[in-house]
């Protein structure tokens, strides 16, 4: 499997971790959903992210999930989230998954970082911990981490830590950050790949601003692939029409604490996973929520037929 580079483009779906109704990792569904993502247009996968319920897994389970997905991906790139409060755990999991054939490791900022020098120093420490040849995806997600990475600090990290080859952009509002990064590159800073998260809610605008694709999840990953492709081809109106057809479900998935349950419900309904179960603590959808999702799905199908 080839390593991640600063030229990476397309859609790297943030993969769910399927569980049985009793809370065990569902290996058969893990195979099935890996196939599903690639069949629906994913260029790569990112596993053990926040929406992959990584904090609920043991270290042994994390390694087992990574090994299974990397093997099933059959050479397609798999980025593995290795974020942890301490560097020792990052190093242990990172080495293990790179030995398995991962394309790179995704790391976000622990909430303990309070100052710009601490944030800057941290990614140098991560790079040394993982090893000189390990590509790093820097996840910039202040809404979840509480850590705000300024443009100036992000620029210094890019300058000083060459292993950072990709930004997982999840700042909000953050469109201007993409513009400023690309402007700095035009003025001589080295290029990094920018893939965007936040459930894809600003995806057309992000690609138009210069992002290279998406690194997020959604119950219909084919939408992410279609929108990225169409905007890249400068078919903005068509991209917006497709995006708008799915937007009500995208919006519904944005509910903090409920979005993953919605996503897993849709994936189970589509046959990608055997159960919509979240591992505890975490519950499924109430009957009223299921009714709302089903209504959105029916309207989505109707709108997509109108667009064909």
């Amino acid at each position: 499997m080839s390593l991640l580079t600063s030229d990476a483009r397309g859609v790297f779906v943030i993969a769910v971790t399927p569980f049985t109704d009793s809370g065990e990792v569902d290996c058969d569904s893990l195979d099935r959903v890996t196939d599903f993502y690639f069949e629906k247009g994913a260029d790569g996968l990112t596993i053990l992210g926040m929406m992959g319920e990584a904090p609920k897994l043991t270290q042994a389970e994390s390694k087992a999930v990574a090994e299974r997905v990397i093997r099933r991906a059959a050479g397609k790139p798999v980025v593995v989230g290795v974020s942890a409060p301490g560097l020792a755990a990052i190093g242990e999991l990172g080495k293990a998954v790179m030995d398995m054939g991962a394309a790179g490791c995704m790391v976000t900022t622990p909430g303990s970082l309070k100052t710009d020098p601490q944030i800057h120093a941290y990614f140098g420490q991560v790079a040394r911990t993982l090893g000189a040849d390990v590509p790093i995806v820097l996840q910039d997600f202040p809404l979840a981490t509480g850590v705000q990475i300024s443009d100036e600090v992000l620029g210094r990290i890019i300058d000083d830590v060459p292993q950072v080859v990709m930004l997982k952009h999840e700042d909000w509002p953050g469109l201007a950050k993409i513009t400023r990064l690309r402007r700095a590159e035009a003025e001589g800073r080295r290029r990094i790949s920018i893939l965007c998260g936040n459930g894809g809610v600003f995806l057309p605008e992000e690609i138009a601003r210069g992002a290279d694709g998406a690194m997020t999840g959604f119950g219909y990953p084919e939408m992410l692939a279609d929108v990225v492709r169409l905007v890249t081809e400068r078919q903005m109106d068509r991209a917006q029409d497709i995006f708008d057809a799915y937007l009500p479900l995208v919006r519904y998935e944005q509910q903090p604490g409920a979005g993953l349950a919605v996503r897993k419900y849709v994936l189970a309904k589509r046959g990608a996973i055997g159960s919509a179960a979240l591992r505890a603590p975490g519950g499924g959808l109430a009957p009223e929520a299921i009714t709302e999702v089903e209504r959105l799905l029916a309207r989505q199908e109707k709108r997509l037929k109108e667009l064909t």
Side-chain angles (χ1 to χ4, degrees):
M1 183 176 293
S2 59
L3 296 177
L4 200 66
T5 73
S6 59
D7 293 320
R9 299 178 181 275
V11 175
F12 281 59
V13 175
I14 294 286
V16 300
T17 304
F19 297 103
T20 65
D21 289 338
S22 59
E24 301 300 316
V25 175
D26 183 347
C27 292
D28 290 340
S29 286
L30 198 57
D31 290 344
R32 196 188 322 161
V33 77
T34 299
D35 294 345
F36 172 85
Y37 287 135
F38 287 120
E39 288 164 2
K40 297 301 181 183
D43 299 286
L45 297 181
T46 302
I47 61 173
L48 304 183
M50 294 179 186
M51 293 297 269
E53 300 179 78
K56 302 177 186 177
L57 299 178
T58 67
Q59 191 85 335
E61 286 176 326
S62 294
K63 292 176 183 177
V65 166
E67 184 175 25
R68 186 135 188 159
V69 173
I70 290 168
R71 183 171 65 247
R72 190 74 178 190
K76 297 183 179 70
V78 177
V79 173
V80 182
V82 299
S83 299
L87 291 170
I90 290 174
E92 179 183 319
L93 183 56
K95 182 180 187 309
V97 301
M98 293 308 295
D99 287 345
M100 295 170 192
C105 293
M106 182 174 70
V107 182
T108 193
T109 46
S112 58
L113 304 181
K114 303 299 182 185
T115 68
D116 286 349
Q118 288 175 340
I119 296 168
H120 173 261
Y122 179 73
F123 285 97
Q125 294 171 334
V126 167
R128 290 189 291 275
T129 298
L130 289 172
D133 297 327
V134 177
I136 295 172
V137 178
L138 190 165
Q139 183 180 16
D140 180 16
F141 196 6
L143 288 175
T145 64
V147 178
Q148 188 76 45
I149 305 178
S150 69
D151 291 348
E152 190 271 335
V153 171
L154 182 56
R156 287 173 56 209
I157 293 169
I158 294 169
D159 290 340
D160 297 340
V161 189
Q163 285 166 250
V164 174
V165 299
M166 179 183 289
L167 176 69
K168 186 187 179 192
H169 172 274
E170 300 194 270
D171 204 348
W172 195 345
L175 292 171
K177 186 176 250 183
I178 298 172
T179 297
R180 288 190 291 268
L181 279 169
R182 291 307 189 215
R183 185 176 296 138
E185 290 168 3
E187 294 170 355
R189 178 182 292 152
R190 74 174 177 94
R191 185 190 196 280
I192 65 169
S193 174
I194 302 174
L195 301 188
C196 298
N198 282 327
V201 71
F202 300 112
L203 186 57
E205 293 82 8
E206 289 164 341
I207 303 303
R209 290 276 191 135
D212 297 297
M215 184 179 278
T216 193
F218 184 51
Y220 288 82
E222 59 265 42
M223 179 277 281
L224 305 174
D226 285 346
V227 170
V228 169
R229 175 181 56 80
L230 288 165
V231 178
T232 303
E233 294 172 353
R234 291 183 167 80
Q235 298 185 55
M236 191 64 176
D237 286 345
R238 178 64 178 172
Q240 195 74 59
D241 287 341
I242 296 293
F243 180 76
D244 289 352
Y246 290 93
L247 185 55
L249 185 61
V250 172
R251 174 187 62 86
Y252 201 84
E253 268 200 16
Q254 287 298 302
Q255 297 176 83
L260 182 56
V262 176
R263 187 174 302 170
K264 280 193 157 183
Y265 175 84
V266 172
L267 289 170
K269 180 181 175 70
R270 301 190 74 192
I273 55 178
S275 170
L278 278 66
R279 178 172 274 187
L285 298 181
E288 297 85 355
I290 291 174
T291 299
E292 291 163 351
V293 170
E294 289 290 349
R295 177 176 174 272
L296 293 178
L297 293 175
R299 290 179 59 82
Q300 175 180 289
E301 183 178 359
K302 177 184 176 184
R303 180 58 182 142
L304 288 169
K305 287 179 178 177
E306 293 171 351
L307 291 173
T308 57

